[in-house]
Structures are given as C-alpha cells and as structure tokens.
C-alpha cells in the first residue's frame, strides 16, 4: 500500500482492462465499515472521562480503478538457477485512458462508527467489465464552490474546507453524593490535509456483474497513542487531534468485495 500525501480528502478510480467491453450491465458500488475495535469505541476511558466515537465523514474527490497491464511482451527476462526465465512485460507506463472512474467527487461518505456492518457509501456507477490491478482514491478538502450530497455533519459541523471529520461525545466522571454523571458533551475533530491513496489489490469485474469495493477501517488504532497511552479527543489539543486523524487515515484499507462480506476477495480465495 502506498501513500502519497497531497492535502486532503478525495477517493477512488477504476481502470479499464478489456477492449470493447460493454458498460451496459456492469456496475461498481462503494461500501464502508469500521471493523476491528468498533464495538469498543462506544465507551473509551480517557484521562478526562469517557469518549464515545459516533460518526466519521470522508470527502472523496475521486474513486478509480486502474486497468491491468496488457499488450505485447518485452525482451526475454533474466535466467538463472534461482531467477525467473522467459519474457517480461513491457515497461511502458499506462496513461489516463487506463483509468475508469467510479465516482467524480466531491462525495461525502458517512460511516456510523459503532455499526460494524457494511454500510452503503457511494451509489453504483457503470464501468467496463475487465481486470483491474489497483484501486486509487483521493480524500480532499471541500471548497465553497463544490456541491455535496451532505453539507453538514449530524453534529452540525459544516464540511466546507474539511476532508475528514470524526464526531463523538465526551462524558466527565461522575461527581456528588450519590455520584451523578454530567450530560455528554459533543466534540468534533477534523483535518484539511489532502491524501491520495493507492491499493495494489487486483480485482476482476465480470461482464454483467454488480461489483462492490469496500473501504474498511481498523477502529482499534484511532485513539492509540505512544507507549500504550490513549489519545483523548476531549482535550481540544491540536497535536492530539492531528495524531488521531493520522491514525484514522492509516487504518483504512480498500479492496474488491464482490460478496459484500467486508473481506478482501483475494483473501477469500486463499
């Protein structure tokens, strides 16, 4: 998995792998889920009390698939007692014609953090059938001239100028006799950095199929600080918030998920 940092939030493109493939009956949708650790994110003990993580918003600029390399073979490859023998593929780079877009953004993906099931994220887009070697997406901050499917978060945070927003509530420790917990206080942390992410995860989209790509987050890492400490989003500390946002981005995987079980199709074949 390769990360190329640009600034913040757009996602996902698909590349065509078969000449003359019909777009009429073949489509790709995008789903999202928070898997590992999601069930523990409803009540996370911190130094200031208890944190509940509720909703994650990603602004996706593009989702693309890159076509698998095809064409004439190059010169004969290296030989030897332990090395490969035979022809090697041409090293010519593919151009923009090898990319097929699932969604041209910006498109806001909303993920309920403690819902561990696969959630619909981006509606189906018609694409050519074929073999794709890479999924690419961009997370990109929203600009005031861009129209969105979601303008504000459930907590009332405007998405203009943001690329990732994580919302939840903070509950301070109980006080008094008998002990009484104060009402939860909402919080929201966000990022404006633009990120381009490429996942080398080959997928094959059959003709006439309704295919799915899944974005899956490992929520167990989001509040993981150095030396086993827990990051506290209730402190309003910019450095802590930046580390949490970095953890969210680093926890994301994208892969072909034709049966919509939240698992990589390649792993299912093992």
């Amino acid at each position: 998995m390769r990360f190329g940092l640009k600034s913040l939030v757009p996602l996902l493109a698909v590349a065509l792998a078969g000449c003359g493939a019909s777009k009429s009956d073949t489509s790709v949708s995008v789903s999202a889920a928070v898997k590992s650790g999601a069930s523990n994110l409803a009540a996370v003990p911190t130094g200031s009390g208890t944190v509940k993580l509720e909703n994650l918003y990603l602004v996706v600029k593009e989702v693309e698939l890159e076509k698998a390399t095809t064409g004439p073979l190059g010169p004969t490859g290296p030989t030897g007692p332990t090395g490969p023998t035979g022809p090697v593929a041409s090293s010519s780079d593919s151009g923009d014609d090898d990319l097929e877009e699932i969604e041209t953004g910006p498109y806001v993906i909303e993920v309920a953090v403690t819902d561990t099931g696969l959630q619909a994220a981006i509606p189906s887009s018609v694409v050519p059938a074929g073999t794709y070697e890479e999924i690419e997406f961009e997370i990109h901050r929203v600009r005031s001239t861009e129209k969105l499917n979601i303008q504000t978060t459930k907590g009332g945070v405007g998405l203009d100028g943001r690329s990732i927003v994580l919302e939840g509530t903070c509950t301070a420790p109980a006080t008094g006799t008998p002990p009484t917990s104060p009402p939860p206080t909402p919080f929201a942390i966000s990022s404006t950095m633009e990120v381009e992410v490429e996942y080398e995860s080959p997928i094959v989209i059959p003709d006439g199929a309704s295919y799915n790509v899944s974005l899956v987050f490992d929520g167990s890492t989001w509040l993981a600080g150095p030396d086993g400490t827990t990051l506290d989003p209730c402190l309003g500390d910019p450095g802590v918030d930046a580390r949490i946002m970095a953890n969210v981005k680093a926890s994301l995987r994208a892969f072909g998920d034709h049966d919509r079980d939240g698992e990589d199709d390649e792993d299912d074949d093992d």
Side-chain angles (χ1 to χ4, degrees):
M1 179 173 64
R2 300 168 305 187
F3 288 78
L5 294 183
K6 286 184 175 178
S7 213
L8 211 184
V9 234
L11 306 174
L12 267 114
V14 284
L16 169 62
C19 295
S22 171
K23 286 190 174 186
S24 58
D25 299 315
T26 302
S27 63
V28 173
S29 61
V30 178
S31 300
V34 177
K35 287 290 188 179
S36 303
S39 60
N40 299 320
L41 298 179
V44 182
T46 66
S48 64
T50 302
V51 169
K52 179 181 180 181
L53 300 182
E54 296 180 341
N55 296 294
L56 175 69
Y57 298 84
L58 303 172
V59 182
V60 177
K61 180 180 180 181
E62 294 175 343
V63 176
E64 296 176 332
L65 297 176
E66 182 175 342
K67 180 174 67 177
T69 303
T70 60
L73 294 176
T76 300
T79 60
T82 60
T85 303
V88 296
S90 172
S91 61
S92 60
D93 293 332
S94 60
D96 292 341
D97 291 342
D98 292 332
L99 297 179
E100 186 69 24
E101 289 189 352
I102 295 176
E103 176 68 30
T104 300
Y107 193 96
V108 181
I109 294 177
E110 178 184 357
V111 187
V113 173
T114 54
D115 179 354
T116 58
L118 206 59
Q119 304 166 50
I122 296 178
S124 297
S125 296
V126 177
V127 300
T131 301
Y132 298 87
E133 66 181 3
E134 184 175 278
I135 304 169
E136 177 181 319
F137 69 86
E138 293 181 33
I139 298 173
H140 201 283
R141 72 178 181 272
V142 183
R143 293 175 173 82
S144 59
T145 57
E146 296 174 315
K147 297 187 180 302
L148 299 172
N149 55 307
I150 299 174
Q151 299 294 329
T152 60
T153 68
K154 288 182 177 177
V157 177
L159 290 169
D160 184 18
R162 295 177 170 88
S163 57
I164 302 176
V165 177
L166 179 62
E167 289 184 331
T169 58
C170 304
T171 302
T175 59
T177 305
T180 303
S181 296
T185 302
F187 74 85
I189 57 177
S190 63
S191 176
T192 59
M193 188 168 51
E194 297 175 0
V195 181
E196 180 179 303
V197 185
E198 299 175 1
Y199 291 91
E200 296 176 354
S201 178
I203 64 174
V204 178
I205 302 176
D207 189 23
S210 295
Y211 202 83
N212 185 71
V213 170
S214 288
L215 309 178
V216 175
F217 296 84
D218 179 358
S220 68
T221 66
W222 291 359
L223 301 184
D227 302 323
T229 59
T230 299
L231 301 174
D232 190 347
C234 303
L235 299 177
D237 185 324
V240 171
D241 292 352
R243 184 181 287 271
I244 292 172
M245 288 287 94
N247 288 347
V248 171
K249 289 180 287 186
S251 76
L252 174 59
R253 293 180 61 220
F255 46 80
D257 185 13
H258 182 52
D259 55 6
R260 291 174 170 80
D261 65 352
E263 303 294 337
D264 192 334
D265 289 342
E266 281 204 313
D267 295 339
D268 293 342
D269 294 336
D270 292 341

